[in-house]
Amino acid sequence: TECVSGCMCPDGLVLDGSGGCIPKDQCPCVHGGHFYKPGETIKVDCNTCTCNKRQWNCTDNPCKGTCTVYGNGHYMSFDGEKFDFLGDCDYILAQDFCPNNMDAGTFRIVIQNNACGKSLSICSLKITLIFEVWLEVVLTEELLLEGRIQEIATDPGAEKNYKVDLRGGYIVIETNQGMNFMWDQKTTVVVHVAPSFQGKVCGLCGDFDGRSRNDFTTRGQSVEMSIQEFGNSWKITSTCSNINMTDLCADQPFKSVLGQKHCSIIKSTIFEACHSKVNPIPYYESCISDFCGCDSVGDCECFCTSVAAYSRSCSSAGVCIDWRTPAICPVFCDYYN
């Protein structure tokens, strides 16, 4: 019943956080720690969300699936599951020759890791793409250095259902059915599949059914708790060894400290705009681990690959970060242009 000192809003209005009063239906929406006024829109994957009365109203378009492999055996499945897996065999990364696909299969991507000398870290990949059984495209670093891609056709007269392109530092292969494959000619592979492939693919990249909890489905159609067992179920060669993930920094404290210094760019203000949308910690930890596995310290390929992976995830979330400099992982755009 007594007066209280302070600033109050009249009945029916609420504080707007900036010293003013607004109706409740004019309150902002929140996404990724940022506030948006009523009527403002944001992009989430391939959908558009509009702020209305403190809630987001989003379109419900089916989006393409993206699977990423980078660095020393780091994977992100089509459904967003992150895991680490190493092995020196040939593995099925993704394919639509699957039990849950009633249509005829169109592609298979086989990936092989090549280790760096005496270390267990990965330096390069050998990749084989098989299209509709009758054609193989083999990509290896050695072949590409000669400026060519090896094509093996069992039916030379058949019409190709794909095209190959070079975009910047990436080899890009696009199929007529909606599978796009990108390789940076080192240790990063990105596979995009159209919404029509939803629930029809299998392999290390998962089944793209919108649920990450069943992504560790083995070739025998059982869900495995062990990532190593799940990965080994997708190998297609038997004359190879299984590699257990080890802490590459354990015996290299100096390199670990140096890795933390370099990899801190991921947690720095340079990427601050992305931190609320994509958690930087898994990428930071992967960066340090890969840095310890590098044969050379400093601005080496392992470090650049890890930072580029986080930058790519930020870009997919709608935040483009200009992080490369002449001193940090430069890309010679004039040459590629």
Side-chain angles (χ1 to χ4, degrees):
T1 57
E2 298 178 3
C3 291
V4 179
S5 176
C7 183
M8 313 290 180
C9 282
D11 291 341
L13 300 180
V14 293
L15 285 167
D16 65 357
S18 302
C21 297
I22 55 173
K24 286 185 179 180
D25 60 6
Q26 291 297 308
C27 282
C29 302
V30 184
H31 178 71
H34 297 284
F35 293 88
Y36 298 85
K37 297 177 182 178
E40 286 191 306
T41 61
I42 58 171
K43 291 282 289 185
V44 179
D45 291 329
C46 65
N47 285 290
T48 301
C49 297
T50 305
C51 177
N52 181 37
K53 295 182 179 179
R54 293 184 290 169
Q55 292 188 338
W56 291 108
N57 295 331
C58 301
T59 57
D60 193 23
N61 303 320
C63 302
K64 68 181 179 182
T66 301
C67 175
T68 304
V69 186
Y70 73 94
N72 203 31
H74 309 299
Y75 290 75
M76 182 185 294
S77 73
F78 288 125
D79 292 323
E81 184 70 28
K82 296 184 182 71
F83 63 95
D84 292 345
F85 171 72
L86 268 181
D88 62 354
C89 309
D90 291 331
Y91 302 91
I92 296 176
L93 179 65
Q95 65 175 0
D96 61 350
F97 296 95
C98 307
N100 49 351
N101 183 12
M102 297 296 104
D103 302 324
T106 61
F107 78 93
R108 173 177 293 151
I109 302 172
V110 178
I111 189 170
Q112 181 190 77
N113 303 323
N114 295 321
C116 296
K118 294 179 291 184
S119 72
L120 292 177
S121 61
I122 296 170
C123 278
S124 62
L125 306 173
K126 177 186 175 183
I127 302 154
T128 303
L129 288 88
I130 303 172
F131 299 115
E132 297 179 325
V133 180
W134 55 265
L135 180 64
E136 288 187 15
V137 178
V138 181
L139 304 176
T140 63
E141 192 173 12
E142 291 77 18
L143 286 169
L144 289 168
L145 285 174
E146 298 172 8
R148 61 188 177 90
I149 295 172
Q150 184 180 5
E151 295 179 318
I152 306 168
T154 56
D155 183 2
E159 184 179 351
K160 292 182 181 179
N161 68 338
Y162 70 93
K163 63 179 181 179
V164 182
D165 198 6
L166 180 63
R167 299 177 190 170
Y170 283 86
I171 294 286
V172 180
I173 298 179
E174 298 178 332
T175 69
N176 299 341
Q177 289 78 22
M179 188 281 289
N180 294 344
F181 170 89
M182 298 173 60
W183 181 39
D184 71 347
Q185 305 180 47
K186 297 181 181 73
T187 64
T188 299
V189 168
V190 182
V191 182
H192 298 292
V193 290
S196 58
F197 283 98
Q198 197 157 26
K200 297 180 180 180
V201 291
C202 54
L204 293 177
C205 282
D207 56 7
F208 185 36
D209 66 348
R211 298 175 298 155
S212 61
R213 64 179 59 184
N214 65 349
D215 273 3
F216 298 147
T217 300
T218 65
R219 209 169 183 178
Q221 295 301 292
S222 62
V223 178
E224 183 61 63
M225 297 299 292
S226 165
I227 294 174
Q228 200 67 32
E229 293 300 321
F230 156 71
N232 289 334
S233 76
W234 288 105
K235 67 182 179 182
I236 60 174
T237 50
S238 57
T239 56
C240 57
S241 59
N242 298 328
I243 301 174
N244 291 319
M245 297 295 292
T246 57
D247 184 0
L248 298 172
C249 296
D251 301 325
Q252 305 181 83
F254 169 74
K255 216 167 186 183
S256 177
V257 171
L258 201 58
Q260 292 173 32
K261 175 186 175 183
H262 283 273
C263 295
S264 63
I265 185 176
I266 293 176
K267 300 195 297 181
S268 73
T269 55
I270 294 174
F271 285 96
E272 187 175 15
C274 182
H275 290 163
S276 61
K277 297 192 175 184
V278 181
N279 183 8
I281 301 303
Y283 294 91
Y284 171 72
E285 293 174 347
S286 298
C287 178
I288 297 173
S289 173
D290 289 2
F291 190 94
C292 290
C294 262
D295 286 340
S296 59
V297 296
D299 185 16
C300 65
E301 202 59 57
C302 308
F303 161 73
C304 295
T305 298
S306 294
V307 182
Y310 185 60
S311 175
R312 194 164 41 251
S313 295
C314 293
S315 182
S316 299
V319 182
C320 186
I321 307 293
D322 184 15
W323 63 277
R324 293 181 186 268
T325 69
I328 301 175
C329 307
V331 171
F332 302 103
C333 295
D334 288 343
Y335 170 79
Y336 286 117
N337 284 340

